[in-house]
Amino acid sequence: MSEQKRAPETGGDASENGTAQSNAQVNEATAEAEATAMADAAIGDPAGEKARLEGEIASLKDKFLRAFAEAENVRRRAEKEIQDAKTYGIASFARDVLNVADDLARALGSVEAEAKATAEGGFKALLDGLELTERGLVRALEKHGIRKIEPKGEKFDPNLHQAMFEVPDPSVPTGTVVQVVQAGYVIGERVLRPAMVGVARGGPKAEANKATGAA
């Protein structure tokens, strides 16, 4: 029995190779398309992307300005608090010192003008020492922003003065301070102690007096 030679089967392999190459090309094209799509998606519309970025920049700028303004406000408040502490921190101590100033003023006020003019020897030295001490105390208070209120002859101001009584006096406008019972003091822009005063009544009104003077 004779054996017949089998022909090589080459047709199937060629077909499979062609199919594989086609599939590889398709896959490569698909990958390129997906990469292009992803790039387009990442870039998006140039005009829209620009608008979005500008919006983000504006938002960040607004947040920065708000934060900067808040920090500036905090800094200013801290500076004011420090300044107030320096200016008004001695208010309680200053009120106690005012009692000493009042005692000195009363001591000097109790001596009659004639006695001061004719004082000699130790009495004169005592008076000079009291006056020197009073002037030094006033300078020390002024050095720390404490000023004496001298309201005599001025219009009564309830923010600075405390009316103790009224004085009938038609020669001056009503509401004029004609007597100071106790001196007042201010520290910085605040009243440390109001001046206790006597106020005139019975005279012309201050507004009418001013209008007459202007005319």
Side-chain angles (χ1 to χ4, degrees), residues 47-129:
E49 184 69 9
K50 180 181 179 181
R52 184 184 67 80
L53 293 175
E54 289 178 349
E56 291 183 358
I57 292 172
S59 177
L60 292 173
K61 184 178 180 180
D62 180 68
K63 291 179 180 179
F64 169 78
L65 293 176
R66 290 177 182 273
F68 181 79
E70 181 64 23
E72 186 67 12
N73 290 336
V74 171
R75 183 186 66 80
R76 290 178 179 175
R77 285 196 297 268
E79 288 181 352
K80 187 177 185 305
E81 290 175 358
I82 293 172
Q83 185 61 38
D84 287 349
K86 290 180 179 179
T87 303
Y88 306 113
I90 62 170
S92 179
F93 172 74
R95 290 191 185 94
D96 294 336
V97 174
L98 295 184
N99 295 328
V100 179
D102 293 338
D103 292 339
L104 280 173
R106 279 191 289 267
L108 290 170
S110 64
V111 181
E112 296 180 358
E114 184 178 353
K116 289 181 181 180
T118 60
E120 296 180 356
F123 182 59
K124 185 176 186 306
L126 175 62
L127 290 178
D128 291 342

Side-chain angles (χ1 to χ4, degrees), residues 16-204:
E16 291 178 358
N17 290 337
T19 302
Q21 290 178 357
S22 298
N23 290 338
Q25 292 175 352
V26 171
N27 292 336
E28 184 177 355
T30 302
E32 290 180 356
E34 291 178 352
T36 302
M38 292 177 64
D40 292 340
I43 296 174
D45 182 18
E49 184 69 9
K50 180 181 179 181
R52 184 184 67 80
L53 293 175
E54 289 178 349
E56 291 183 358
I57 292 172
S59 177
L60 292 173
K61 184 178 180 180
D62 180 68
K63 291 179 180 179
F64 169 78
L65 293 176
R66 290 177 182 273
F68 181 79
E70 181 64 23
E72 186 67 12
N73 290 336
V74 171
R75 183 186 66 80
R76 290 178 179 175
R77 285 196 297 268
E79 288 181 352
K80 187 177 185 305
E81 290 175 358
I82 293 172
Q83 185 61 38
D84 287 349
K86 290 180 179 179
T87 303
Y88 306 113
I90 62 170
S92 179
F93 172 74
R95 290 191 185 94
D96 294 336
V97 174
L98 295 184
N99 295 328
V100 179
D102 293 338
D103 292 339
L104 280 173
R106 279 191 289 267
L108 290 170
S110 64
V111 181
E112 296 180 358
E114 184 178 353
K116 289 181 181 180
T118 60
E120 296 180 356
F123 182 59
K124 185 176 186 306
L126 175 62
L127 290 178
D128 291 342
L130 288 175
E131 291 176 351
L132 183 63
T133 302
E134 185 184 36
R135 288 194 297 269
L137 181 58
V138 170
R139 285 195 300 269
L141 292 173
E142 290 177 348
K143 181 180 178 181
H144 293 280
I146 302 168
R147 295 178 289 104
K148 190 176 182 179
I149 300 175
E150 302 286 356
K152 188 173 182 179
E154 298 179 357
K155 184 179 178 182
F156 175 76
D157 185 350
N159 297 315
L160 299 174
H161 314 143
Q162 181 177 347
M164 304 301 295
F165 52 85
E166 289 185 330
V167 179
D169 190 348
S171 65
V172 295
T174 297
T176 301
V177 176
V178 294
Q179 186 175 347
V180 179
V181 179
Q182 186 181 60
Y185 289 85
V186 294
I187 178 171
E189 298 178 354
R190 301 179 186 177
V191 176
L192 185 61
R193 187 182 73 184
M196 297 182 180
V197 300
V199 183
R201 66 176 175 85

